Amino acid sequence: MDDQTRIEIEAAAFRRLRQHLMDDRKDVQNIDLMNLGGFCRNCLSRWYMEAANERGIEMGKEEAREIYYGMPYDQWKAQNQTEASPEKQAEFEVAFKENVLKDNG
């Protein structure tokens, strides 16, 4: 497989993952993704931002989130996010430290 075809296939797989998380499984909360998988929709938007920045495209966190979510993040949260239990919030603190802070520190 040539590099261009590989890149196109990887991009198609990313778009399908985004569609799955944004359209097919809105019911799955970011906190559950982070607690179980060590990443969430916000991580995907951050990775998108980091890839853009590495290529000299200036992009901030909120702009990347709006591109990923297809709307302002606050709007998506209001429409789709539910309140997390204290137990889930405690699990999230651990998962965030182990997966996100480790990547940035």
Side-chain angles (χ1 to χ4, degrees):
M1 179 183 313
D2 64 81
D3 283 344
Q4 185 60 37
T5 301
R6 179 186 51 77
I7 290 167
E8 290 170 8
I9 291 170
E10 289 171 351
F14 173 81
R15 288 189 298 271
R16 183 61 185 98
L17 173 61
R18 184 193 171 282
Q19 177 188 342
H20 182 74
L21 292 173
M22 298 306 297
D23 299 330
D24 304 339
R25 293 305 309 265
K26 290 178 184 177
D27 60 312
V28 177
Q29 299 293 300
N30 276 341
I31 197 166
D32 295 324
L33 288 169
M34 180 61 78
N35 290 350
L36 294 172
F39 79 101
C40 68
R41 293 170 184 89
N42 290 333
C43 294
L44 290 166
S45 70
R46 178 173 49 90
W47 298 336
Y48 185 94
M49 176 193 72
E50 290 169 354
N53 291 337
E54 287 170 6
R55 286 157 182 78
I57 300 168
E58 197 171 312
M59 181 180 297
K61 180 174 80 171
E62 292 308 315
E63 181 181 2
R65 283 183 175 180
E66 188 162 343
I67 290 168
Y68 184 82
Y69 284 91
M71 65 182 71
Y73 178 57
D74 288 340
Q75 181 182 344
W76 189 89
K77 281 188 345 183
Q79 291 176 4
N80 299 287
Q81 193 165 298
T82 60
E83 189 65 35
S85 70
E87 295 79 20
K88 283 187 181 184
Q89 290 177 13
E91 289 176 33
F92 174 82
E93 293 299 323
V94 172
F96 189 83
K97 286 177 187 171
E98 290 177 352
N99 296 286
V100 177
L101 295 181
K102 157 187 87 136
D103 290 344
N104 293 321

